[in-house]
Amino acid sequence: MVQVEINDESTDDAKLGERIVAIARRKASHIGFYCDGSGICTMCECKILSGADQLNEPTEVEHTWLTDARLAQGYRLGCQAALRGTGPVQVLTRAEEMRRQLDAVLNPPMGTTSADHLPGLLENIAAINWQHIGRWPFNLLSSINRIGLYSVLWPITNLNQLVDDTVRITQHMLKTEPKDQSPSA
């Protein structure tokens, strides 16, 4: 088993070959997902804070959607980043990173102002958007070629699982326990 920390919460039940998004979904960590792992929505983008050497190399999908600058900063797609080593890995999901940045703008920590935190949030939003716009239309054409037009237009393969995972993540973020629901991976 491998120790993986996602958004400051540790788990020691991750397995070699398992993808970050699967671990996050199983643990109801705050992560975005929509395309069920096909790598086209990029909502599962996360920053590898430590242990990047314990993951597979960035895939063709990641090179299609993430800019070289984002990759160099340690960003990966959780649906593409898989455990290959047994050392610890520390991850901050894009969804959680942006939630924290927005929270710092709306509720600045003592001794700071909203203006201190706004540039970081805006820079992150711009970088995320640029990696899509700046690669247009090649990123979309590459995805259509790889998985087909229908899968690009409707990437959800299991709507019930998407809804269940979203509810579990929301409950976890609100620190409430799901009632009679078993986690889905």
Side-chain angles (χ1 to χ4, degrees), residues 157-176:
T157 58
N158 187 336
L159 183 59
N160 289 332
Q161 182 182 14
L162 175 68
V163 171
D164 178 60
D165 287 346
T166 302
V167 168
R168 288 183 328 95
I169 289 168
T170 302
Q171 288 173 329
H172 181 77
M173 288 181 65
L174 296 173
K175 302 294 183 204
T176 61

Side-chain angles (χ1 to χ4, degrees), residues 2-13 23 27 89:
V2 182
Q3 181 188 13
V4 177
E5 180 182 297
I6 300 175
N7 302 334
D8 302 325
E9 293 184 9
S10 291
T11 182
D12 59 0
D13 66 350
I23 300 164
K27 294 298 184 180
V89 177

Side-chain angles (χ1 to χ4, degrees), residues 34-36 40 148-159 162:
Y34 184 73
C35 70
D36 289 333
I40 60 167
L149 180 61
Y150 178 78
S151 293
V152 168
L153 295 175
W154 184 254
I156 301 169
T157 58
N158 187 336
L159 183 59
L162 175 68

